[in-house]
Amino acid sequence: MKSRVFFIPASRADGAEVLAEKARAVLRATGFTASLSPTDFTALKIHFGEKGNTGHIKPEWLTGVVAEIRDSAPRLFLTDSNTLYVGSRSNSIEHIRLAWDHGFRPDVLDVPVIIADGLIGNDVREAKGDAEHVASGKLASAILGADALVALSHVTGHVQTGLGAAIKNMGMGCASRAGKLDQHSVAHPRVLAKACRDCGLCYDHCAASALTRVEGRAAIDNARCTGCGECLVVCKHGAIKVRWDGDVRRIQEKLAEYAQLVRRHFGPRLACLNFLLQISKDCDCMAKAQPAIVEDIGICGSLDPVAVDRATVDLILERTGGRDPFRKGYDADWSFQLEHGEKIGLGSNVYQRIDLA
Ligand code: SF4
Ligand code: SF4
């Protein structure tokens, strides 16, 4: 049977109240709430937007979604995980403050914010994988502590994954820092010797004792390093760097495998809502206002992460007459995550689109 994707046309010009009702209508159509029990913890997985970013989903657009879920299961929380890079979202204190600054406060949306991988991103739970790349996924603890999940995704382009939507929100966004490092890199971090001030902070912090002083500079013993990624944000001098993987296919395949671990944990208690509004070239990690590269299209939702992302791309291509705005931004083929996602059972590229009035 084809997966069902529900779509409602929408634009930022509708205003917050109408957008909130439209998002609620899409979620209701998926039938997600029928799977909930009153004692369930429901995680609303979102990206709060980096400081200065304006494209992220706005809290006012979610009041209807929250009301819809709360009728069935009142224990809701908004969540994201800390970033791999140093910035305004690399620890829970600054991350929550940024969420407040972007309006995710009780006076706007009465839902607590919990950063899923804890104070400094080391609250990790392992999930066993059986696909090609990920034998053991390192997921953010509060994600696996929840009973149900709604992936609320702002659709964007991305320099490595080509597309940032439901699969990326689940795969990368639900991973701990170690899980993000696992997906972005094929090797351990490296020390930029000329930037190292030999302050000693990382020597004390590394739980694996993999960071030591060698000739007055930090050095990583790869045999000991567990890839937790903590030193990347512990170093205040930017001397520890990710060895980024340049293979966009491999990154996207890992992304899909992480998303599949999340899907497997939640089973039918998973819904995905993609917001095709202010679609930008780069993701919401960009600390700036980004112009839309396509006019606003609407909101689509499904219980199937692959189907909702495939429908998202199809809607965009339909609107642009076949011109792919993501390939114009970066020549990163986004299709690997969708193809691999289907291969490993994350979802289906074949879907039925049901348009809501
Ligand atoms: S924390 Fe940074 S500057 Fe300090 S010793 Fe480690 S790598 Fe060098
Ligand atoms: S990634 Fe973790 S284990 Fe490896 S050197 Fe950094 S802190 Fe130590």
Side-chain angles (χ1 to χ4, degrees), residues 106-155:
D107 58 311
V108 183
L109 187 68
D110 183 21
V111 181
V113 173
I114 296 174
I115 302 304
D117 56 348
L119 185 63
I120 56 166
N122 59 4
D123 253 354
V124 187
R125 275 173 63 181
E126 304 255 341
K128 293 281 167 234
D130 52 13
E132 205 171 314
H133 304 284
V134 183
S136 177
K138 301 166 184 77
L139 295 171
S141 163
I143 296 292
L144 294 188
D147 304 294
L149 183 126
V150 183
L152 300 163
S153 312
H154 172 223
V155 176

Side-chain angles (χ1 to χ4, degrees), residues 191 195-203 218 234-237 239-240:
V191 177
C196 175
R197 310 265 181 94
D198 193 27
C199 70
L201 209 58
C202 63
Y203 310 146
V234 161
C235 177
K236 306 269 189 289
H237 303 287
I240 304 185

Side-chain angles (χ1 to χ4, degrees), residues 189 206 208 210-211 220 225-231:
C206 177
L211 270 153
I220 294 176
C225 174
T226 59
C228 71
E230 289 179 29
C231 52

Side-chain angles (χ1 to χ4, degrees), residues 233-253:
V233 289
V234 161
C235 177
K236 306 269 189 289
H237 303 287
I240 304 185
K241 301 288 185 196
V242 175
R243 294 180 203 260
W244 299 103
D245 188 354
D247 184 337
V248 297
R249 176 193 283 265
R250 181 168 47 213
I251 293 171
Q252 290 185 49
E253 289 182 354

